[in-house]
Amino acid sequence: MHTSTKLFALIALLLGGSAIVANSDVHLPGNHQGYEPVQPIAYSHRLHAGEIGIDCLYCHYGAARSRHAGIPSGRICMNCHSVVTDSFDNLVEERQRAAAAGEQPKRTISPELRKLYDYMGLDKDLKPASSPQPIPWVRVHHLPDFAFFDHSTHVAKGVACQTCHGPIQGMERVRQEKSLSMGWCISCHRQSIPTPTCVAPEGEPSHVSTDCVSCHL
Ligand code: HEC
Ligand code: HEC
Ligand code: HEC
Ligand code: HEC
Ligand code: HEC
């Protein structure tokens, strides 16, 4: 009773009596299919998750354990970028130059990685010089607060990241591939069976809940 009262209030508030619920592909502000914001560092999923092949959960480990997938802190980047300070091509070129000249290779730093080191508070020798700042990544996907979504329950059932986010491992810059509209959520719930093997247990409904209160608490 309590939850449906809240839901009713929500609907009244949102619709002011009109009939948007029937047209569930209507979008709310802040949720934009195709949104592809420029990020503070030109971090590439195509390079890291595609070419290098780093697992999504190495950086977004929250997706398997909690509601939010989470954005990794700069410290995770530094696991590699304390050593890899430039593109592979530039690092190799500097090594060859140094070898030919009989010198030690000099450290070269790419402009994009310099931005990472600035946020990490590291100077030109990569020594701590000021306090680290969080990287101000621009959020791409965003559901309104009144819609409840939990990554871990979906990931545990084997729904692939790409089903909801598209081919991220091919994107230079992340874009919102799907509508994330209510109709989109519900059409998968109508088709899905809540077991990993896709066989509904005896006597269980053969689809995932489409009750209003499962997504609107
Ligand atoms: C090396 C770390 C790393 C790996 C590996 C990685 N990501 Fe990301 N991901 C990031 C960072 C940093 C951002 C924030 C900047 C951006 O949007 O590009 C991000 C952003 C995202 C976003 C957008 C979040 C938002 O703002 O709405 C999605 C979706 C995403 N990643 C999915 C994936 C998937 C799927 C994979 C595997 C195919 C993956 N990521 C692999 C670091 C990583
Ligand atoms: C069933 C659909 C679905 C699946 C599967 C899914 N996501 Fe998401 N993801 C979403 C939705 C919806 C949002 C927006 C959530 C919000 O605004 O509360 C989101 C947001 C994100 C974000 C940014 C906000 C946050 O939660 O930190 C990242 C990063 C992300 N997803 C990564 C991933 C990765 C990596 C995987 C696979 C391990 C994955 N997602 C699987 C639907 C999905
Ligand atoms: C597992 C190791 C690894 C992790 C973790 C990692 N990177 Fe990288 N990254 C690389 C490698 C290797 C290259 C160089 C690839 C090449 O040039 O072919 C690279 C290249 C880059 C470049 C391009 C450099 C240039 O100018 O050419 C940027 C920018 C970058 N990474 C940012 C990040 C950020 C931001 C994070 C954390 C969210 C991150 N990386 C995490 C391994 C990693
Ligand atoms: C590609 C298929 C798919 C899409 C898209 C999808 N879901 Fe689900 N959802 C599932 C499956 C499968 C389950 C069953 C999980 C279980 O039984 O534990 C589920 C379960 C749920 C649950 C109940 C379990 C929990 O997490 O509390 C909620 C709430 C939910 N989904 C919300 C959403 C919302 C909101 C969206 C859209 C933003 C969405 N889902 C999109 C497949 C999907
Ligand atoms: C599987 C999850 C899910 C279920 C079940 C669900 N909704 Fe939604 N609903 C959403 C999401 C996600 C949004 C936000 C869509 C957006 O941002 O475009 C939403 C948005 C809404 C809105 C705002 C207007 C609109 O259409 O976008 C209303 C009103 C609403 N839902 C009412 C309901 C009612 C009433 C029910 C039961 C008949 C219901 N919802 C069932 C996920 C769900």
Side-chain angles (χ1 to χ4, degrees), residues 39 43 45 48-49 54-56 59-60 71-72 137-141 161-162 165 168-169 174:
Q39 298 291 347
Y43 168 79
H45 278 80
H48 291 85
I54 311 172
D55 193 276
C56 308
C59 291
H60 302 292
I71 302 295
W137 300 113
V138 181
R139 180 79 180 253
V140 182
H141 302 77
C161 314
Q162 286 79 359
H165 294 298
I168 296 270
Q169 70 286 349
V174 177

Side-chain angles (χ1 to χ4, degrees), residues 27-206:
H27 281 201
L28 296 174
N31 176 359
H32 301 295
Q33 191 166 16
Y35 183 46
E36 187 181 345
V38 173
Q39 298 291 347
I41 302 173
Y43 168 79
S44 166
H45 278 80
R46 185 202 53 75
L47 174 64
H48 291 85
E51 214 170 287
I52 302 176
I54 311 172
D55 193 276
C56 308
L57 294 176
Y58 178 79
C59 291
H60 302 292
Y61 47 84
R65 303 178 196 169
S66 64
R67 181 171 175 184
H68 299 291
I71 302 295
S73 86
R75 264 189 273 156
I76 290 188
C77 314
M78 291 304 288
N79 287 346
C80 295
H81 288 295
S82 54
V83 179
V84 182
T85 56
D86 204 339
S87 71
F88 194 63
D89 288 351
N90 287 356
L91 292 174
V92 169
E93 199 179 299
E94 173 55 18
R95 254 160 224 241
Q96 288 170 344
R97 187 207 59 81
E103 295 170 9
Q104 284 293 323
K106 291 199 197 72
R107 178 183 279 135
T108 66
I109 296 183
S110 91
E112 288 304 319
L113 286 167
R114 185 62 253 170
K115 296 180 190 170
L116 171 66
Y117 304 139
D118 286 344
Y119 289 118
M120 297 307 290
L122 303 174
D123 68 12
K124 62 176 179 40
D125 300 317
L126 304 192
K127 298 269 182 313
S130 54
S131 46
Q133 305 294 319
I135 306 170
W137 300 113
V138 181
R139 180 79 180 253
V140 182
H141 302 77
H142 204 56
L143 286 183
D145 290 343
F146 61 79
F148 176 80
F149 176 78
D150 185 318
H151 272 90
S152 64
T153 45
H154 289 86
V155 171
K157 290 291 164 178
V159 184
C161 314
Q162 286 79 359
T163 308
C164 300
H165 294 298
I168 296 270
Q169 70 286 349
M171 295 180 195
E172 281 300 335
R173 202 159 87 210
V174 177
R175 92 186 149 264
Q176 181 177 322
E177 188 87 355
K178 308 286 176 181
S179 73
L180 307 191
S181 69
M182 177 163 121
W184 175 75
C185 308
I186 286 179
S187 76
C188 181
H189 282 202
R190 285 214 180 102
Q191 294 159 26
S192 289
I193 295 160
T195 71
T197 53
C198 285
V199 178
E202 203 77 51
E204 292 283 312
S206 62

